[in-house]
Amino acid sequence: MRITQIVETSVPLRGAIANALVDFSRHTVSLVAVVSDQIRDGRPVTGVAFNSIGRFAQGGILADRMIPRVLRAAPDALLDDTGRIDPARVLQCAMADEKPGGHGDRAGAAAALELACWDLNAKLADEPAYRTIAGYFGREFLGEPVPAAVPVYAAGGYYYPGDGPQTGLQRLRTEIRGYLDLGYDAVKMKIGGAPMSADLARIEAVIDILGGGDRVAVDANGRFDESAAVQWAKALHPYGLRWYEEPGDPLDFALNAAVIAGYDGAVATGENLFSVRDATNLVRYGGMRPGVDIFQMDAGLSYGLTEYARMIEVLESNGFDRRCAFPHGGHLINLHIVVGLGLGGCESYPGVFAPFGGYAPGCVLERGTIAPTDAPGFGLEQKPDLAAVIADLVG
């Protein structure tokens, strides 16, 4: 078997929303297709994936460096002992001549390429990606049905251009009630994009609708310096929130530790850490507490599943349960990873970041949990709006 072609396209996200730091109205995502020489139903079997959500597309890195390296490789160099495409070997080839450190956008570029190989292998095996992942990492389901659906929460509560305090609150209430109507029983909302008094009013409105702070997480997206992050922790303490996410710069582990030192509730972070070394430093220096805090590293932003699985090993070797991992992203790829690796759950983007956010119509939500379908691969083609983009890419 061999890879015959690799193509990438930059896809704009739809919708005008913002968090405390980022306006997503001009954001893009890299969609990658890895085409094999295996023919099914008259067409080559093709793996498809993307570099998660929240960073820009990396078409230049892929087209100029990574794709040519993989296509130049001897076909056998990309295969495992069974003759299948080996995502780890593809990743190693894509990263040839890259210096250590300085991960940045190349981590997302490599991830889109590596994850497309997982989709390809699952399609070749005619099975959903979570089964391929579970088998590879020694978590076989042995023919059993899909495991119990995993917990998900609706990620929303963004800021919208032109909203004043009252119109924003009304929009937020309507949005959160909509998530409850869909079957979600927990949500995450943004803070840090408005004065503290206004944000606290937003939090109280959401808690009122959900019925308790333990069903509400807040996300500052790295907005605060240490003084503000600690001040916010004190202000949030009475609400008993599900977690306080990314209070400061994701690489400021001392800040994270300072927040945790004075905050009994859970702190969540990690979505902007792109390597095993970053995750190791968070465990060493960030003050994270086993059984309390949440890790949100995202395979689509950190070189793919090969690197992400090594991050989970780091957590477990330091006394953390893998169920403390809730990957950032809110999309089908991470849903399959959560099920395949037995993680704690994942977020969902039911109303934002189209066409990538959220799940396929066949993924039924019940009492705040969801399971992937048995469509081969990640099932991205089951999302109608995304399927149209994939069709344009692969022809």
Side-chain angles (χ1 to χ4, degrees):
M1 183 171 65
R2 61 188 293 267
I3 294 172
T4 62
Q5 186 181 16
I6 303 173
V7 290
E8 182 272 347
T9 188
S10 175
V11 182
L13 295 175
R14 296 202 296 267
I17 58 174
N19 62 33
L21 289 175
V22 177
D23 176 354
F24 291 101
S25 63
R26 290 176 291 277
H27 262 237
T28 53
V29 170
S30 278
L31 181 69
V32 172
V34 174
V35 184
S36 78
D37 64 350
Q38 304 298 296
I39 305 299
R40 302 273 176 86
D41 300 322
R43 296 178 61 83
V45 182
T46 300
V48 182
F50 54 90
N51 64 299
S52 197
I53 296 168
R55 319 289 292 195
F56 285 96
Q58 292 99 28
I61 296 173
L62 283 159
D64 296 342
R65 286 153 45 190
M66 294 185 173
I67 291 175
R69 290 168 184 159
V70 174
L71 294 178
R72 284 196 302 265
D76 289 350
L78 304 178
L79 305 181
D80 64 17
D81 294 340
T82 69
R84 296 189 310 174
I85 295 294
D86 185 339
R89 293 185 182 185
V90 172
L91 175 63
Q92 183 180 31
C93 181
M95 288 293 294
D97 299 322
E98 299 279 343
K99 285 187 175 183
H103 305 289
D105 280 354
R106 78 176 184 194
L113 178 55
E114 193 259 14
L115 289 167
C117 295
W118 288 97
D119 186 64
L120 173 62
N121 281 341
K123 287 173 176 173
L124 288 168
D126 195 28
E127 65 183 8
Y130 72 82
R131 286 191 179 274
T132 303
I133 293 167
Y136 184 92
F137 291 102
R139 300 178 63 84
E140 292 279 7
F141 295 132
L142 301 177
E144 295 296 319
V146 178
V150 297
V152 292
Y153 61 91
Y158 288 84
Y159 301 97
Y160 289 82
D163 275 356
Q166 293 307 310
T167 56
L169 269 177
Q170 184 56 45
R171 184 200 293 270
L172 180 61
R173 291 190 183 100
T174 300
E175 177 186 353
I176 300 303
R177 291 191 185 102
Y179 295 148
L180 292 181
D181 292 342
L182 290 172
Y184 293 95
D185 62 6
V187 303
K188 185 174 78 178
M189 59 176 290
K190 302 301 181 180
I191 61 171
M196 179 183 283
S197 59
D199 268 341
L200 293 178
R202 296 171 71 247
I203 292 169
E204 290 167 5
V206 173
I207 291 174
D208 182 61
I209 294 169
L210 269 294
D214 59 337
R215 299 168 67 185
V216 180
V218 298
D219 184 2
N221 291 106
R223 174 70 174 82
F224 305 133
D225 61 18
E226 183 173 322
S227 175
V230 171
Q231 183 182 6
W232 261 97
K234 293 176 180 177
L236 295 174
H237 185 269
Y239 295 112
L241 298 174
R242 190 178 190 197
W243 66 63
Y244 173 22
E245 182 171 328
E246 215 166 38
D249 187 288
L251 292 176
D252 191 340
F253 302 127
L255 181 154
N256 199 75
V259 170
I260 286 174
Y263 185 62
D264 291 339
V267 167
T269 190
E271 72 178 70
N272 290 299
L273 304 182
F274 303 150
S275 71
V276 167
R277 181 56 57 201
D278 287 340
T280 301
N281 284 334
L282 175 60
V283 169
R284 285 176 176 170
Y285 309 117
M288 303 290 278
R289 300 158 292 186
V292 179
D293 298 313
I294 302 298
F295 292 85
Q296 298 174 306
M297 289 80 75
D298 181 347
L301 300 177
S302 50
Y303 298 102
L305 183 54
T306 301
E307 184 84 352
Y308 182 80
R310 293 175 60 212
M311 292 182 188
I312 298 301
E313 291 176 1
V314 167
L315 299 186
E316 291 187 319
S317 68
N318 283 275
F320 294 88
D321 192 298
R322 66 175 54 211
R323 288 171 294 182
C324 71
F326 281 70
H328 156 272
H331 51 70
L332 277 167
I333 294 175
N334 279 345
L335 179 61
H336 279 267
I337 290 173
V338 167
V339 174
L341 294 183
L343 308 181
C346 54
E347 68 181 332
S348 173
Y349 294 143
V352 293
F353 298 131
F356 298 96
Y359 306 130
C363 299
V364 179
L365 178 66
E366 291 185 352
R367 296 186 296 275
T369 65
I370 203 165
T373 72
D374 281 334
F378 291 122
L380 302 181
E381 294 85 355
Q382 288 195 321
K383 283 178 59 65
D385 50 355
L386 185 52
V389 181
I390 293 172
D392 287 342
L393 177 64
V394 303

